[in-house]
Amino acid sequence: MRDRPSYPIDFENYEELIKDAYGDFDAIDLETPLIKGTIISKRFCKLFPKEASIQVQKLMSAENDELIKVLGRNFADMIVPFELHQRLYKASTKEELSPISTTFFLTLERGYTNRVPNAPPQMTFTEEFLKDYQKLAMPFTHKPIPSSLIEKIKQAYCEFESQILDYTDSSYQTHPADILVYKLQKIAEEYYWDRLAEILTVYPTFSPGRGADSSEWKHVLTIKWCEVILGHIQTIEYIQYQKEPHLLQVISQKAISLKDFLDLDIEVALALQEDADQGNYLSLEENLKSKSENSKYTKLIPWVRGEENLKSLWKMLDDHGYIEHIEFIKFQNSHFLLLDKPSERIQEVFTQKIIWKSSLKNLIMMIEKLNSSNIINAKPFNKKINTSKAGRIHNLIHSHFCRPDNKDITLMALRKTEQRFPNFGVDYGFNSTVMKLIRSIQ
């Protein structure tokens, strides 16, 4: 990692920023922790890909939560800055509140404030800077506040107006001004949760009056670096996931922690790894080879996070009508390979594709998130050498999903759907059910 900070305004995309902030991933040696204060290194990822991806995803989840909270606070502070907050504290009559309310609604309608940057008196600002600085814009994205949010802000303020006139000073009551700020924060949090994937994909455009708030970007940097690490874990052959539980068992029998194992002399560690490779390894490898060469078998989807998590996803999809009902045992055995059960067959003939009843956009988004979070592995779905990640995901969907009436989902339809992604709105129902569940899978 660099000793100096990396400033987002100096770059045009996440790739350049992350490389400047953390260095060249390929140049990091096997033993160096990839995340400060953890044991997650390239060696740890290679030996324990499931455990590594779980730890990285936990960190990402926590950073996502913190980022949303920060964005919510920054939004509320923009709508109700400190000076206005103090005035709302002091207002107790209609006469005192009226001019404040008039200015508040006028500010929302015209989309800018009259605030001057907090700077030394001798510092001057250009008109262009002040024009951009005084615009009301969404934190991080710097886009205008959507009309739907403006209506929610007005509603929250109207509720404040009715509450402030009935408010009596008491140490046991929350001041209506604080309630207003809290509501605004929650309004913004809900907005950002539905657009989290977008803001972590589309690099913001900075204008003279819009810098990169460090309270937001420190979380973004960590999240994007975690994505790089998860991408690295995806390159690990999934045979290693089947070896991992054997190595964990050997380590447990020796009463050694994962940290202590990584600190062992390399000869001792290799001896333990050799012990773990005994038993089912050779037969499992032979089974993988013979099955993969048999064209009558269709590849199963490697599932990394255990049967109970798969069952939770199936239940969510089934309960909300995103798939045609299918018994869980058939859903599992016909479509998924549980990598924590190395005795299971590598390939399996399935009799019925999963009937997908929601949009293709939601299906692609779900499979992409499962793959990027290292919950499934789309790598076996290479149709050609060096198939792209998008191609593998499309092949997986084509192999395992169909539309109602068993209508095939063509690769062309998937490509066209993905090309139109920027024009699709957020499916709030799918985002708050399936995508929220996937983010919580450990």
Side-chain angles (χ1 to χ4, degrees), residues 128-144:
E128 181 183 6
F129 179 90
L130 285 175
K131 181 180 178 181
D132 283 319
Y133 177 85
Q134 293 173 339
K135 285 181 181 177
L136 291 180
M138 297 302 295
F140 192 83
T141 64
H142 306 157
K143 293 181 178 180

Side-chain angles (χ1 to χ4, degrees), residues 56-327:
V56 173
Q57 191 181 350
K58 282 182 178 178
L59 177 60
M60 279 186 70
S61 180
E63 292 294 322
N64 284 337
D65 289 343
E66 288 303 312
L67 173 60
I68 295 298
K69 290 178 182 177
V70 168
L71 290 170
R73 287 197 297 268
N74 289 349
F75 177 83
D77 289 343
M78 176 185 68
I79 301 298
V80 183
F82 178 77
E83 297 83 358
L84 175 57
H85 203 158
Q86 294 303 303
R87 291 183 67 191
L88 294 178
Y89 267 133
K90 297 175 181 177
S92 58
T93 66
K94 286 185 178 181
E95 292 73 20
E96 293 172 332
L97 189 60
S98 180
I100 300 175
S101 299
T102 299
T103 302
F104 182 85
F105 285 108
L106 182 60
T107 297
L108 289 177
E109 290 173 6
R110 66 190 181 188
Y112 70 91
T113 71
N114 291 322
R115 278 183 289 159
V116 177
N118 185 16
Q122 65 271 20
M123 185 177 293
T124 59
F125 299 94
T126 65
E127 290 186 9
E128 181 183 6
F129 179 90
L130 285 175
K131 181 180 178 181
D132 283 319
Y133 177 85
Q134 293 173 339
K135 285 181 181 177
L136 291 180
M138 297 302 295
F140 192 83
T141 64
H142 306 157
K143 293 181 178 180
I145 303 174
S147 57
S148 59
L149 255 63
I150 290 179
E151 291 305 313
K152 292 180 180 180
I153 295 170
K154 290 179 178 179
Q155 180 180 349
Y157 188 86
C158 288
E159 292 173 358
F160 158 79
E161 285 183 313
S162 63
Q163 292 169 353
I164 192 66
L165 298 177
D166 295 332
Y167 177 76
T168 56
D169 189 21
S170 170
S171 59
Y172 300 102
Q173 283 186 297
T174 301
H175 194 281
D178 294 333
I179 296 175
L180 171 63
V181 171
Y182 176 80
K183 286 182 178 179
L184 295 178
Q185 181 174 332
K186 293 304 174 185
I187 288 170
E189 287 180 10
E190 182 180 353
Y191 171 87
Y192 281 109
W193 267 124
D194 287 328
R195 290 157 181 83
L196 183 60
E198 178 185 350
I199 67 175
L200 291 174
T201 303
V202 180
Y203 203 76
T205 301
F206 299 102
S207 59
R210 299 293 173 185
D213 192 296
S214 61
S215 67
E216 300 163 1
W217 278 92
K218 65 179 181 181
H219 300 296
V220 172
L221 280 170
T222 301
I223 292 168
K224 298 301 291 186
W225 182 239
C226 286
E227 289 181 1
V228 173
I229 298 172
L230 287 175
H232 169 70
I233 295 174
Q234 288 176 11
T235 67
I236 298 170
E237 295 294 336
Y238 65 75
I239 189 67
Q240 188 61 41
Y241 291 91
Q242 295 162 324
K243 294 164 63 175
E244 181 177 356
H246 296 292
L247 181 55
L248 288 171
Q249 184 178 18
V250 169
I251 292 173
S252 177
Q253 290 171 347
K254 299 289 185 180
I256 302 173
S257 69
L258 289 176
K259 183 179 185 307
D260 290 339
F261 171 78
L262 295 173
D263 291 336
L264 290 175
D265 290 338
I266 191 64
E267 293 82 2
V268 178
L270 288 174
L272 293 178
Q273 289 173 227
E274 187 176 349
D275 289 343
D277 286 345
Q278 301 306 310
N280 293 329
Y281 176 73
L282 293 177
S283 61
L284 182 62
E285 189 176 52
E286 182 62 30
N287 191 27
L288 171 62
K289 181 179 179 181
S290 63
K291 293 294 185 180
S292 63
E293 292 174 350
N294 191 335
S295 61
K296 74 178 182 179
Y297 286 90
T298 300
K299 294 179 183 295
L300 297 178
I301 305 169
W303 181 270
V304 180
R305 301 294 176 86
E307 184 176 343
E308 286 305 311
N309 281 320
L310 177 59
K311 191 170 186 177
S312 295
L313 178 61
W314 162 80
K315 189 174 187 306
M316 179 68 73
L317 295 172
D318 188 56
D319 287 349
H320 287 80
Y322 294 120
I323 60 173
E324 191 75 35
H325 177 70
I326 178 176
E327 295 297 326

Side-chain angles (χ1 to χ4, degrees), residues 351-375:
T351 58
Q352 174 67 53
K353 290 184 179 181
I354 300 168
I355 298 177
W356 184 256
K357 300 169 69 176
S358 185
S359 68
L360 289 187
K361 177 214 170 185
N362 285 342
L363 178 55
I364 294 173
M365 187 168 61
M366 177 183 74
I367 298 299
E368 284 184 341
K369 184 61 176 177
L370 288 169
N371 184 65
S372 66
S373 298
N374 208 36
I375 297 171

